[in-house]
Amino acid sequence: EAGVAQSPRYKIIEKRQSVAFWCNPISGHATLYWYQQILGQGPKLLIQFQNNGVVDDSQLPKDRFSAERLKGVDSTLKIQPAKLEDSAVYLCASSLDHGLGYTFGSGTRLTVV
Amino acid sequence: KQEVTQIPAALSVPEGENLVLNCSFTDSAIYNLQWFRQDPGKGLTSLLLIQSSQREQTSGRLNASLDKSSGRSTLYIAASQPGDSATYLCAGHDQGGSEKLVFGKGTKLTVNP
């Protein structure tokens, strides 16, 4: 079974630039999540999609972060403009109903300089 | 608001030792609890999921228990091996059917040959 695919693996940008991350979840997983993991911390949920609808985006900094999941499959997360404190690993995950089969991708490591 | 704490932050043991990692949470209405493993530069791998009606789960040398009344979970690793070296994260699913995971900061385990 193919896992959750994410790209790119690494990205270095200057502050105030924009960046986008891509995620392809496991086939058949209706729920997709974006988590932010700052060094030394546990992951924190940014946004959760059920099919192509947003379930929870309460911790998404909406002035600079945006995400979409067109057609209920792939998703993109965008940051514009980036700040130094956005340096983190951005993890995408997907699951079946009720959180079963939670599977994480390898993440995108973002460094903002 | 659910908060998850993991103790200790780091642990170093000799190969072959049995060990226990601890996780505590503030909201006893936690739905499910999950233990993950994270290797450096990698995503999260699910180890054990304890569903709300269960008290423990076992997989190979790993055993996880959940005590909602005391707000605690433990991960027991038997006969530790150098390959077990990684960061172990526990995460609770919020009550109410939310599939959002609230993570602790993790315990970094080093098993010395």
Side-chain angles (χ1 to χ4, degrees), chain B residues 54-66:
Chain B
Q54 299 172 328
R55 301 198 72 164
E56 67 176 325
Q57 279 288 341
T58 297
S59 176
R61 295 182 292 108
L62 305 180
N63 174 274
S65 66
L66 174 63

Side-chain angles (χ1 to χ4, degrees), chain A residues 33 35 45 48 55-56 58-59 98-99 102, chain B residues 1-4 25-34 49-52 68 91-103:
Chain A
Y33 317 78
Y35 283 84
L45 180 73
Q48 175 185 341
V55 174
D56 185 345
S58 57
Q59 298 188 94
H98 308 297
Y102 233 103
Chain B
K1 177 185 173 185
Q2 183 72 267
E3 293 183 7
V4 178
F25 44 91
T26 53
D27 187 354
S28 61
I30 194 167
Y31 192 58
N32 295 335
L33 188 128
Q34 202 156 353
L49 166 67
I50 307 176
Q51 294 183 273
S52 58
K68 290 187 176 183
H93 291 249
D94 278 347
Q95 180 72 344
S98 167
E99 292 131 340
K100 168 186 173 181
L101 286 175
V102 180
F103 283 86

